[in-house]
Amino acid sequence: MATATADQENILQQLIKIGKGTEYGKSIGLDKVTKYEEFKQAIPIQDYEQMRPWIDKIKEGKHNILWKGRPIYLAKTSGTTSGTKYIPITKDSIPNHINTARNALLCYMAETGNTRFADGKLIFLSGSPELERVGDIPTGRLSGIVNHHVPK
């Protein structure tokens, strides 16, 4: 906890460093951002429809659009407000998706003391692990994508 502020500042600087090399980062002037307040001002709050042109570029196979390189997956949502949505999953972000599920189970165990469910066989219910290709990027439900990263 003693280094939390410094750690957050380091993460922000890394995000800026990577983000300013992307098409999106260039479009919002991320190369001029050095501080958190400037970061907040530079990054507009947008809904999916406003981000769709960027996602479409990714689906066309273009690189360095929202993040460095190209996503390793596109997570497909059913989208209640504007139809199907595609969420880029990058090499950098995939551990967050996997670790969050693990951490939720560990927090449940710590809070309730109930660990019995992990003593034996488990069943993991999720979306299909079958992935289609959109713009040559493996695409499917996030839970199905995560299936490809769960240890046997």
Side-chain angles (χ1 to χ4, degrees):
M1 291 298 190
T3 64
T5 301
D7 292 345
Q8 288 181 0
E9 180 62 30
N10 288 335
I11 291 168
L12 175 64
Q13 293 307 317
Q14 283 296 96
L15 292 172
I16 292 169
K17 181 179 176 183
I18 293 168
K20 69 183 180 184
T22 67
E23 269 194 49
Y24 182 74
K26 290 173 186 171
S27 79
I28 60 169
L30 205 52
D31 61 323
K32 296 172 184 68
V33 171
T34 59
K35 298 179 180 137
Y36 174 66
E37 287 302 320
E38 296 168 342
F39 185 80
K40 281 190 346 184
Q41 292 300 313
I43 308 289
I45 296 174
Q46 297 179 316
D47 64 18
Y48 187 82
E49 289 308 314
Q50 292 166 304
M51 294 300 295
R52 185 181 297 272
W54 302 102
I55 302 295
D56 288 344
K57 287 182 178 191
I58 292 168
K59 288 166 53 180
E60 291 167 9
K62 296 193 170 123
H63 293 233
N64 301 318
I65 303 300
L66 294 172
W67 197 244
K68 65 183 175 185
R70 61 188 285 221
I72 56 174
Y73 299 103
L74 290 172
K76 188 174 174 181
T77 71
S78 54
T80 56
T81 57
S82 62
T84 301
K85 295 179 177 91
Y86 295 90
I87 311 301
I89 306 295
T90 67
K91 183 179 145 199
D92 294 332
S93 73
I94 194 73
N96 295 322
H97 298 286
I98 296 165
N99 294 339
T100 300
R102 181 202 61 210
N103 291 347
L105 286 173
L106 293 174
C107 285
Y108 170 80
M109 293 165 128
E111 285 293 317
T112 66
N114 178 7
T115 60
R116 289 189 324 246
F117 71 91
D119 288 345
K121 293 181 180 182
L122 294 172
I123 186 168
F124 181 68
L125 300 176
S126 73
S128 172
E130 297 287 324
L131 303 176
E132 60 184 355
R133 294 212 168 252
V134 172
D136 204 35
I137 300 171
T139 303
R141 304 280 177 215
L142 181 58
S143 59
I145 290 169
V146 170
N147 273 337
H148 292 270
H149 296 269
V150 174
K152 303 261 185 259

